[in-house]
């Protein structure tokens, strides 16, 4: 039987998840309530049901997340009956006496690394499954599916292992861990086509809605939760928007959109020529190597 391309991508991702279950003693699945991690949970259900997941769901919460994503996260974990571990960046800031960034575009996003590494140490996770994709950003484009991190969580591009014929080497030394990306070969459009085919429900924030925003440096920034403090040159507006990616409120911009359905979102993505992170993620625009620098420091 000939598989279509979505079947092929699904089969590859399920194979990778089962490899994680077979090769590691204490894996975890990073789950934020965003579309990519929702897709991972759906794939895990296909990979391991009717049994339980061989890993917990883990979320590193900055305290500045969109409420729609958090509500979805909690509801899904309860619905599928899987363990959800949440650790808070705010607690790490207090316990480690970290200096929280300040200024015009300050964000806690970079501080997630400290909380993630503490969580890996607390539960002795040896593998963390994430929803990163190669089409999102150039640093992610050159990262392997099994990405080995040293005892400090750091990524060294020169230490990457060959992955010929879909063979994945998860052998690590004590203290090291592996970040695993089952949908690395998917594109944003693939994810949405899969969501449509599988009839996966998403948080409402991914579809067009009216929202109060600030125009800052040409980007439409959410005012939710008072995370972003208005400044004199910011313009308050109400626009019809949706979010292509759902990260920290402080660094995730909205996109003007009228797409209220899956079909309309897919049509919109087919017409765009800029990646979701390129259009909407302020933290990736701090420098040419912003994402790679964060990965070298232990980021997802």
């Amino acid at each position: 039987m000939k598989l279509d391309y979505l079947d092929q991508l699904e089969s590859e991702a399920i194979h990778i998840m089962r490899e994680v279950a077979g090769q590691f003693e204490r894996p975890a699945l990073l789950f934020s309530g965003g579309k990519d991690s929702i897709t991972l949970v759906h794939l895990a259900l296909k990979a391991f049901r009717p049994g339980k997941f061989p890993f917990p769901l883990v979320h590193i919460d900055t305290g500045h997340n969109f409420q729609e994503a958090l509500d979805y996260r909690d509801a899904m974990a309860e619905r599928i009956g899987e363990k959800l571990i949440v650790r808070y960046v705010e607690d790490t800031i207090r316990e480690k006496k970290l200096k929280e960034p300040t200024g015009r575009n300050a964000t806690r996003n970079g501080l997630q690394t400290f909380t993630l590494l503490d969580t890996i140490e607390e539960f002795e996770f040896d593998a963390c499954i994430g929803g990163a994709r190669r089409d999102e950003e150039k640093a992610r484009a050159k990262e392997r599916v099994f990405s080995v991190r040293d005892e400090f969580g750091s990524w060294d591009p020169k230490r990457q292992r060959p992955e010929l014929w879909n063979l994945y080497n998860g052998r690590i030394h004590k203290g090291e861990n592996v970040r695993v990306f089952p949908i690395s070969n998917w594109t944003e459009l693939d994810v949405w086509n899969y969501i449509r085919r599988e009839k996966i429900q998403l948080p409402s924030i991914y579809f067009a809605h009216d929202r109060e925003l600030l125009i800052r440096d040409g980007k439409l920034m959410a005012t939710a939760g008072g995370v972003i403090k208005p400044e004199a040159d910011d313009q308050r507006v109400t626009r019809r928007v949706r979010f292509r990616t759902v990260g920290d409120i402080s660094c995730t911009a909205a996109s003007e959109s009228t797409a209220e359905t899956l079909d309309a979102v897919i049509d919109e993505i087919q017409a765009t020529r800029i990646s979701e992170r390129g259009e909407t993620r302020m933290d990736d625009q701090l420098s040419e190597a912003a994402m790679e620098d964060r990965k070298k420091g232990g980021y997802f």
Side-chain angles (χ1 to χ4, degrees), residues 35 66 188-189 192 202-211 213 220-222 239-246 252-272 274-276 279-280:
K35 72 180 187 308
F66 288 95
E188 181 186 13
L189 186 58
W192 279 100
L202 293 178
S204 60
I205 198 168
Y206 281 109
F207 301 96
H209 59 283
D210 294 325
R211 182 178 286 262
L213 303 148
L220 294 168
M221 306 301 295
R239 297 280 173 84
R240 193 154 189 79
V241 298
R242 71 178 193 88
F243 288 84
R244 289 178 70 185
T245 178
V246 178
T252 304
S255 303
E256 289 200 73
S257 173
T258 58
E260 299 179 5
T261 65
L262 284 170
D263 288 343
V265 168
I266 288 169
D267 288 343
E268 196 173 82
I269 294 169
Q270 287 175 324
T272 191
I274 185 169
S275 74
E276 59 203 290
E279 180 184 8
T280 68

Side-chain angles (χ1 to χ4, degrees), residues 21-249:
Q23 293 194 42
F24 298 97
E25 294 181 5
R26 295 186 181 88
L29 191 155
L30 302 174
F31 177 60
S32 65
K35 72 180 187 308
D36 297 309
S37 62
I38 291 168
T39 299
L40 287 180
V41 170
H42 184 81
L43 290 164
L45 289 168
K46 289 199 168 192
F48 302 112
R49 284 297 190 253
K52 299 284 285 183
F53 288 0
F55 40 67
L57 308 178
V58 175
H59 184 213
I60 306 302
D61 189 339
T62 65
H64 293 165
N65 297 103
F66 288 95
Q67 192 60 46
E68 294 92 333
L70 296 179
D71 291 344
Y72 186 101
R73 176 200 71 186
D74 295 340
M76 171 168 263
E78 182 176 356
R79 177 171 61 83
I80 65 175
E82 296 293 343
K83 182 179 180 180
L84 172 66
I85 297 169
V86 182
R87 290 295 180 267
Y88 298 92
V89 172
E90 200 161 346
D91 292 340
T92 307
I93 292 171
R94 183 176 60 255
E95 292 164 6
K96 289 186 175 294
K97 297 181 169 54
L98 299 176
K99 181 175 174 56
E100 188 165 355
T102 58
R104 178 176 175 82
N105 293 315
T107 175
R108 288 180 178 174
N109 207 37
L111 297 180
Q112 290 181 92
T113 299
F114 295 96
T115 311
L116 175 62
L117 295 178
D118 285 350
T119 305
I120 290 172
E121 183 178 3
E122 177 185 355
F123 293 96
E124 298 182 334
F125 293 136
D126 51 3
C128 293
I129 302 169
R133 308 187 321 270
R134 288 186 174 127
D135 74 318
E136 291 181 284
E137 199 275 340
K138 56 180 178 275
R140 288 181 166 172
K142 64 184 183 183
E143 190 166 17
R144 299 286 193 263
V145 172
F146 272 36
S147 178
V148 178
R149 305 298 180 95
D150 66 19
E151 61 270 29
F152 304 107
S154 180
W155 175 58
D156 181 356
K158 296 179 181 179
R159 288 186 64 217
Q160 296 191 101
R161 298 168 176 175
E163 292 179 341
L164 305 175
W165 307 294
N166 290 336
L167 297 175
Y168 304 105
N169 179 2
R171 186 175 298 173
I172 54 175
H173 298 294
K174 186 173 177 58
E176 294 179 330
N177 68 88
V178 176
R179 310 292 167 81
V180 181
F181 306 112
I183 60 171
S184 184
N185 291 328
W186 299 38
T187 66
E188 181 186 13
L189 186 58
D190 294 336
V191 172
W192 279 100
N193 278 325
Y194 187 73
I195 287 168
R196 177 171 63 179
R197 190 186 81 170
E198 298 293 307
K199 298 180 173 58
I200 300 171
Q201 296 297 312
L202 293 178
S204 60
I205 198 168
Y206 281 109
F207 301 96
H209 59 283
D210 294 325
R211 182 178 286 262
E212 184 178 317
L213 303 148
L214 296 176
I215 299 180
R216 173 175 290 184
D217 302 328
K219 300 290 187 183
L220 294 168
M221 306 301 295
T223 59
V227 174
I228 298 178
K229 307 301 181 187
E231 298 190 356
D233 58 343
D234 292 335
Q235 181 184 353
R236 283 187 178 272
V237 296
T238 299
R239 297 280 173 84
R240 193 154 189 79
V241 298
R242 71 178 193 88
F243 288 84
R244 289 178 70 185
T245 178
V246 178
D248 193 289
I249 291 172

